[in-house]
Amino acid sequence: MGLDEIDLTDGRNFVAGVPHVWFRRLRHEAPVYWHPEAVAPRGGYWAVTRYDDCVHVNRDWEHYSSARRTSLFHEMDDDQLAQQQLMMVNMDPTMHTRYRRLVNHGFTPKMVRDLEQTIVGYADGIIDSVCERGTADFVEEISAELPLLVIAELLGVPQEDRRMVFDWSNLEQLELDLFFMLLIVAGNETTRNLMSGAMTAFFDHPDQWELLRKDRSLLANAVEEMLRYVTPVMHFRRTATQDLELRGQQIMEGDKVVFWHSSANRDETAFDDPDTFDVRRSPNNHIAFGGGGPHFCLGANLARMEIMVMFDRLLDRMPDMRLDGEVQRLQSNFINGTKHIPIVFEPSAPVGGTPLPARAR
């Protein structure tokens, strides 16, 4: 197979799973690769796949801009682009810094710690809602619920309207301020898909579930390994602000540059045995939240707390959970996502967590 047969633009190539074989080959043979794409500037874009290069492109906003076009992969017409550039993720400093400061205080470690017992109550309430049945869809009824409840709490949305948050995160209208749109999507999509992908990884590696069940002191390490191994946001895009060179490749001003977190987090030069899911892995300097710099994920502390709480409660209350059918994945080259995970487990009694309000229709 030639490199020209690799196609990272088509979401259908990610339905069976992230094409890690392709990424491994690119890292080894063409770590900064000119990937053809008919609608992209100059008929293609630069696919950046090695860890160090991904970190560099992400941090160097002066040479690799989010604001020149967008941080999102797909091309847009002028009207769509004008709308997207109102979102914080598509800004560069100093405008990006001004917007970020508006909400920074809501995501500090202290604020997140103050939410912990609320999150525990929600997690127990979610498990209460399915525990007596002994069967559930892990995505629809477990992993999707917690981030919806938490982001609704942060935004002051009544809990009975939390499913409206899910709907809003899939709309493209300007009726909802794009600033809050970003918070909703970031606070919902990524954490939901991380927990879903992590549960699938545990089904594939039951020995790791047993390790964690027997030794809960590994949980913090395990959360970082879930983030590395799953990497729910697979890439971001930048635009070169001037002619420059990256790993021997001549990049021209205006070129589209896409750096792949999914590849960086499996880079053999950054991680030992990177394709192994190991809850004991340490150190674990993954870039699931970005590689530092101004675009480091604002909600990283909150996401870690949600993941840790949910898996702690699952390990206590549904330790025998197992897969009961086919995992259905999203068709996307952006979000490493899952639509359905059917599970079965031993029925148990509710513990009295925060009751889930009826879903908004």
Side-chain angles (χ1 to χ4, degrees):
M1 179 183 186
L3 292 180
D4 58 350
E5 296 180 74
I6 292 175
D7 184 2
L8 302 177
T9 66
D10 191 340
R12 291 174 295 185
N13 293 328
F14 292 75
V15 173
V18 178
H20 287 295
V21 172
W22 286 355
F23 286 121
R24 187 182 307 116
R25 188 166 179 195
L26 288 173
R27 288 195 302 272
H28 291 173
E29 299 181 26
V32 180
Y33 172 64
W34 181 251
H35 191 305
E37 185 192 14
V39 297
R42 291 210 301 129
Y45 65 92
W46 295 102
V48 179
T49 52
R50 283 196 186 169
Y51 181 95
D52 289 343
D53 297 334
C54 290
V55 170
H56 171 69
V57 171
N58 181 57
R59 290 181 175 179
D60 187 2
W61 61 269
E62 293 177 299
H63 295 104
Y64 301 96
S65 170
S66 299
R68 276 288 183 104
R69 293 289 294 177
T70 172
S71 65
L72 304 179
F73 184 93
H74 295 290
E75 300 306 314
M76 305 176 188
D77 62 32
D78 289 343
D79 289 340
Q80 291 172 320
L81 193 61
Q83 295 176 10
Q84 289 294 323
Q85 287 175 336
L86 297 174
M87 296 180 72
M88 187 168 63
V89 72
N90 298 320
M91 296 176 180
D92 292 328
T94 57
M95 184 64 74
H96 176 273
T97 307
R98 289 173 57 192
Y99 272 69
R100 191 177 176 102
R101 283 175 179 165
L102 292 173
V103 290
N104 252 349
H105 69 279
F107 296 91
T108 62
K110 180 184 183 305
M111 291 294 289
V112 171
R113 285 195 302 271
D114 289 345
L115 278 172
E116 182 174 4
Q117 290 310 306
T118 298
I119 296 173
V120 170
Y122 287 154
D124 272 328
I126 290 166
I127 297 172
D128 282 352
S129 71
V130 300
C131 65
E132 294 177 290
R133 295 202 322 254
T135 183
D137 182 325
F138 187 86
V139 178
E140 287 283 330
E141 297 181 279
I142 297 177
S143 66
E145 288 286 4
L146 185 60
L148 286 175
L149 290 164
V150 173
I151 199 66
E153 175 87 14
L154 288 172
L155 295 178
V157 177
Q159 295 301 334
E160 61 270 17
D161 293 336
R162 71 191 186 284
R163 280 279 154 172
M164 293 173 64
V165 172
F166 181 87
D167 293 337
W168 291 339
S169 69
N170 295 319
L171 292 174
E172 295 181 358
Q173 301 174 27
L174 280 177
E175 294 172 359
L176 181 69
D177 185 278
L178 288 172
F179 181 73
F180 290 99
M181 175 79 157
L182 176 62
L183 294 181
I184 291 168
V185 172
N188 168 32
E189 284 261 326
T190 55
T191 308
R192 175 180 85 234
N193 285 303
L194 183 283
M195 290 192 289
S196 299
M199 198 64 246
T200 302
F202 280 118
F203 289 141
D204 291 339
H205 303 85
D207 60 312
Q208 298 299 299
W209 183 258
E210 280 302 300
L211 274 175
L212 201 53
R213 190 180 66 81
K214 293 176 180 177
D215 184 0
R216 206 61 58 83
S217 70
L218 293 172
L219 187 54
N221 265 16
V223 170
E224 300 308 313
E225 180 67 344
M226 295 178 214
L227 288 160
R228 183 197 72 87
Y229 193 81
V230 176
T231 311
V233 177
M234 292 188 281
H235 69 254
F236 271 118
R237 173 227 185 124
R238 300 289 185 261
T239 301
T241 61
Q242 62 186 60
D243 294 353
L244 46 86
E245 182 180 304
L246 182 63
R247 203 172 283 274
Q249 298 297 323
Q250 297 299 316
I251 297 175
M252 300 183 66
E253 181 179 357
D255 277 358
K256 176 178 178 177
V257 181
V258 179
F259 59 101
W260 292 87
H261 308 111
S262 291
S263 179
N265 282 339
R266 299 289 183 100
D267 189 341
E268 301 82 353
T269 67
F271 303 95
D272 294 331
D273 199 11
D275 292 322
T276 296
F277 182 55
D278 182 4
V279 298
R280 295 166 296 188
R281 185 182 298 274
S282 182
N284 194 341
N285 298 315
H286 63 79
I287 61 167
F289 292 125
H295 287 284
F296 185 80
C297 178
L298 183 66
N301 292 324
L302 181 61
R304 285 184 169 111
M305 176 66 76
E306 291 181 41
I307 299 161
M308 187 170 297
V309 167
M310 178 54 84
F311 278 90
D312 181 62
R313 303 312 297 136
L314 290 170
L315 286 158
D316 275 351
R317 300 189 56 195
M318 299 169 65
D320 64 334
M321 182 178 11
R322 60 192 185 276
L323 189 62
D324 187 41
E326 182 181 354
V327 174
Q328 296 182 34
R329 288 178 47 81
L330 292 178
Q331 180 178 305
S332 173
N333 72 344
F334 180 48
I335 295 293
N336 183 13
T338 313
K339 295 188 290 187
H340 300 288
I341 305 176
I343 59 169
V344 292
F345 48 89
E346 186 68 25
S348 61
V351 299
T354 304
L356 294 190
R359 291 183 178 183
R361 299 297 181 186

